[in-house]
């Protein structure tokens, strides 16, 4: 019982990390309001939570804004590309759905399935892109390539992340005022899964810090 109240035990350490992630979620929401900065704020968020996984995180405020400034240009470019591709895939899905509803038969079903699969892979790659930037600081082109490879090569993790995102979206639907909380929970728990993927590529499992370096170990 005494050990339970020890602030150094694993339970309270986890609670502390989760509390810091929620505070980070508030910073993420505030700095994402211009929309243009969403890429930079998401990268800064992952730069902190991935450090939490390896127990190398530091002060919330300082780490967040240091990462926000450091990755701003690349993260904003990545976000712009994702917006354009997202609009493209959304339009494709809408057109395929309309084609199916107009009675296109089995071919329409096939087209819709292909568009849905492509959209899923695009979304899946998005789960890894910002964490890759936060850890490895690769050029945008390499981030796009490696995020797609990781999404394809780790489909169980990618699907789990997709389910987690859907749950966060449902929670947001019923309690939109707690967006910062749902975002924090998603980023926090997804960081453990993504860190495990990175560990297989870059040897992070041995406790190497997520320092946003320009390592070349990833695929």
């Amino acid at each position: 019982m005494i050990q339970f109240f020890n602030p150094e035990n694993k339970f309270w350490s986890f609670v502390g990390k989760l509390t810091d992630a929620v505070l980070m979620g508030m910073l993420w929401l505030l700095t994402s309001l211009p929309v243009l900065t969403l890429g930079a704020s998401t990268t800064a968020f992952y730069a902190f939570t991935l450090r939490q996984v390896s127990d190398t995180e530091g002060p919330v405020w300082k780490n967040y804004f240091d990462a926000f400034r450091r990755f701003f240009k690349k993260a904003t470019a990545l976000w712009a590309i994702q917006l354009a591709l997202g609009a493209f895939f959304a339009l494709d899905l809408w057109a395929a759905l309309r084609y199916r509803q107009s009675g296109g038969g089995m071919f329409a079903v096939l087209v819709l399935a292909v568009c849905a699969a492509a959209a899923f892979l695009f979304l899946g790659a998005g789960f890894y892109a910002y964490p890759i930037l936060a850890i490895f600081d690769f050029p945008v082109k390499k981030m796009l390539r490696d995020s797609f490879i990781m999404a394809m090569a780790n489909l169980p993790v990618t699907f789990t992340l997709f389910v987690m995102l859907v749950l966060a979206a449902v929670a947001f639907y019923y309690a939109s005022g707690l967006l910062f909380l749902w975002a924090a929970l998603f980023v926090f728990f997804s960081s453990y899964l993504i860190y495990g993927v990175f560990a297989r590529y870059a040897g992070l499992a041995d406790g190497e810090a997520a320092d946003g370096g320009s390592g070349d170990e990833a695929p």
Side-chain angles (χ1 to χ4, degrees), residues 62-121:
K62 181 179 185 302
N63 280 4
Y64 183 85
F65 285 104
D66 282 351
F68 186 91
R69 288 190 295 267
R70 177 178 183 178
F71 300 117
F72 183 83
K73 289 184 179 179
K74 289 183 181 178
T76 302
L78 179 61
W79 172 233
I81 293 171
Q82 287 186 325
L83 276 179
L85 290 175
F88 171 77
F89 284 116
L91 183 60
D92 276 357
L93 280 172
W94 177 81
L97 185 60
R98 289 293 301 271
Y99 181 44
R100 173 69 183 89
Q101 292 173 341
S102 67
M106 288 303 299
F107 181 73
V109 174
L110 177 61
V111 170
L112 181 60
V114 170
C115 290
F120 173 78
L121 289 177

Side-chain angles (χ1 to χ4, degrees), residues 21 33 54 197 208:
L33 290 178
S54 60
V197 172
E208 296 180 15

Side-chain angles (χ1 to χ4, degrees), residues 56-208:
T56 58
E57 74 272 21
V60 172
W61 182 274
K62 181 179 185 302
N63 280 4
Y64 183 85
F65 285 104
D66 282 351
F68 186 91
R69 288 190 295 267
R70 177 178 183 178
F71 300 117
F72 183 83
K73 289 184 179 179
K74 289 183 181 178
T76 302
L78 179 61
W79 172 233
I81 293 171
Q82 287 186 325
L83 276 179
L85 290 175
F88 171 77
F89 284 116
L91 183 60
D92 276 357
L93 280 172
W94 177 81
L97 185 60
R98 289 293 301 271
Y99 181 44
R100 173 69 183 89
Q101 292 173 341
S102 67
M106 288 303 299
F107 181 73
V109 174
L110 177 61
V111 170
L112 181 60
V114 170
C115 290
F120 173 78
L121 289 177
F122 163 73
L123 180 61
F127 292 138
Y128 300 93
Y130 296 108
I132 287 175
L133 175 57
I135 291 286
F136 302 109
D137 197 10
F138 286 152
V140 173
K141 182 178 180 180
K142 182 170 175 58
M143 279 190 289
L144 292 171
R145 188 201 71 178
D146 288 358
S147 62
F148 177 77
I149 292 173
M150 287 186 179
M152 288 287 291
N154 301 275
L155 283 176
V157 174
T158 302
F159 183 75
T160 302
L161 293 171
F162 177 76
V163 172
M164 290 169 58
L165 182 63
V166 170
L167 292 175
V170 171
F172 172 71
Y173 177 80
Y174 286 104
S176 59
L178 295 176
L179 174 59
F180 71 93
L181 176 61
W182 312 133
L185 292 176
F186 173 78
V187 173
F188 178 75
F189 287 107
S190 68
S191 292
Y192 283 85
L193 296 176
I194 293 170
Y195 191 92
V197 172
F198 287 176
R200 294 198 292 272
Y201 293 109
L204 295 178
D206 295 331
E208 296 180 15

